[in-house]
């Protein structure tokens, strides 16, 4: 038996069970547990991206980010609209600006 105790993508139990004789024990989380699990998953995916620096981990990060936004009541479109508004007001990271210090 391998214990995971973590949030997984929806099809993962089916994929695991397609392997010879394996069975999964799962449960649906309530909203509070789900939000906490999403934050934990985001941290896990971020650490994997920082370690491996590959697009698969970046995709996982975005998937978790979308789920967090949805859990917070945003549609992807409304979330992106807020992102664009912030970009208009404060810029993005396209110019690669690194602020070293500010003289007072």
């Amino acid at each position: 038996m391998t214990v995971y105790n973590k949030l997984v993508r929806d099809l993962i139990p089916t994929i695991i069970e397609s392997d010879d004789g394996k069975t999964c024990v799962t449960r649906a989380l309530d909203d509070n547990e789900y939000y906490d699990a999403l934050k934990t998953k985001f941290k896990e995916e971020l650490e994997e991206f920082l370690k491996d620096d590959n697009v698969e981990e970046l995709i996982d990060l975005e998937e978790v980010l979308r789920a967090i936004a949805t859990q917070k009541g945003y549609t992807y479109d409304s979330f992106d609209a807020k992102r664009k508004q912030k970009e208009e007001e404060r810029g993005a990271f396209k110019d690669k600006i690194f602020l070293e210090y500010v003289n007072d």
Side-chain angles (χ1 to χ4, degrees):
M1 173 173 57
T2 304
V3 177
Y4 289 94
N5 285 328
K6 68 179 191 173
L7 184 65
V8 295
R9 288 176 176 264
D10 300 338
L11 298 179
I12 295 301
T14 303
I15 293 167
I16 291 171
E17 289 181 345
S18 70
D19 198 0
D20 293 327
K22 292 185 179 180
T23 59
C24 296
V25 176
T26 64
R27 68 183 176 92
L29 302 175
D30 68 31
D31 285 346
N32 290 331
E33 290 174 310
Y34 179 53
Y35 186 65
D36 288 342
L38 282 169
K39 292 189 295 184
T40 299
K41 189 69 170 180
F42 188 83
K43 182 179 177 184
E44 174 190 326
E45 297 300 347
L46 176 59
E47 288 169 355
E48 289 177 9
F49 171 72
L50 293 173
K51 178 183 169 216
D52 298 335
D53 195 24
N54 71 46
V55 72
E56 293 298 319
E57 301 304 338
L58 199 55
I59 290 166
D60 290 343
L61 263 174
E62 182 174 354
E63 192 69 34
V64 175
L65 181 62
R66 287 180 182 216
I68 291 170
T70 299
Q71 188 66 13
K72 296 293 284 180
Y74 295 101
T75 64
Y76 188 73
D77 288 341
S78 67
F79 183 78
D80 197 48
K82 285 192 171 292
R83 183 200 61 78
K84 287 177 183 175
Q85 179 183 358
K86 188 164 189 176
E87 180 180 3
E88 288 174 11
E89 294 170 358
R90 308 201 39 107
F93 297 98
K94 297 172 187 171
D95 293 336
K96 304 174 188 175
I97 296 171
F98 184 81
L99 180 62
E100 294 182 359
Y101 59 87
V102 174
N103 287 322
D104 293 332

